[in-house]
Amino acid sequence: MNQKFIVAQKMESNERENSIVGTASTQKMDRDKEIILSSAWKLDNYRKNPVICLAHDYSSLPIGKCLWIKTVEGSGLRFKAKFANTERGKEVYQLYSEGILNSFSVGFAPNSGGVIDNPTQREYKGAKRLFTDVELLEISCVTIPANSDAIVD
């Protein structure tokens, strides 16, 4: 007997407002051997200018804005992005809607004393850098993220 199975994933999105929910960062060691603790994020300045960029391109206009953002202790940084009603904004939203684009990345700046190089704690074994205090500058839509868990929900 032949059986066929279909695995469906539901993306948390809202087509009326061109928005999606995703994870911008987790505490997982990324491809650069860096870890950003969930408790490290300082979000006050980002909330004043909650931009969503394309591929960390600071010289181009944003493609959207962040409607809300929160840290989830031990898990990471979650957010809701609303894409602009521009050609680029619509195009990027469409790529996420079709499952072609799936990931995000964060632009951030470490605060003074907020970086530990080559941490020695067992739970951070193999990490080159541990970030304990950082300011979020922007969230970007990217094709290949440093953190493989920074994806659409």
Side-chain angles (χ1 to χ4, degrees):
M1 169 164 69
N2 290 333
Q3 292 181 327
K4 291 185 179 182
F5 296 93
I6 298 174
V7 177
Q9 290 184 324
K10 180 183 179 290
M11 179 179 79
E12 190 172 335
S13 70
N14 182 327
E15 288 185 21
R16 286 182 309 200
E17 65 180 8
N18 291 345
S19 67
I20 58 175
V21 174
T23 300
S25 178
T26 68
Q27 285 193 173
K28 174 183 176 180
M29 187 183 325
D30 66 22
R31 292 179 172 109
D32 297 323
K33 305 279 189 221
E34 296 178 336
I35 299 170
I36 306 171
L37 297 179
S38 296
S39 59
W41 293 106
K42 303 300 181 261
L43 304 173
D44 289 344
N45 287 333
Y46 179 73
R47 286 184 173 119
K48 294 175 189 175
N49 185 40
V51 294
I52 304 293
C53 296
L54 182 58
H56 301 293
D57 184 357
Y58 295 2
S59 65
S60 292
L61 293 172
I63 58 169
K65 72 176 185 175
C66 181
L67 298 177
W68 58 257
I69 188 164
K70 64 182 177 180
T71 56
V72 179
E73 188 57 41
S75 179
L77 192 59
R78 295 190 22 85
F79 71 104
K80 182 175 185 178
K82 176 181 176 16
F83 292 91
N85 194 25
T86 62
E87 188 175 315
R88 287 183 76 206
K90 290 176 187 176
E91 178 183 24
V92 174
Y93 176 74
Q94 185 67 32
L95 291 170
Y96 279 107
S97 295
E98 293 179 14
I100 294 168
L101 194 57
N102 194 37
S103 55
F104 303 99
S105 182
V106 288
F108 65 96
N111 292 315
S112 180
V115 182
I116 300 170
D117 289 322
N118 301 308
T120 57
Q121 298 96 321
R122 182 182 188 120
E123 64 267 32
Y124 308 126
K125 183 180 179 184
K128 288 182 183 177
R129 273 180 289 294
L130 175 67
F131 293 96
T132 60
D133 188 4
V134 298
E135 179 182 349
L136 180 64
L137 303 175
E138 52 87 17
I139 298 172
S140 275
C141 302
V142 296
T143 54
I144 301 173
N147 184 325
S148 61
D149 288 340
I151 56 175
V152 172
D153 288 352

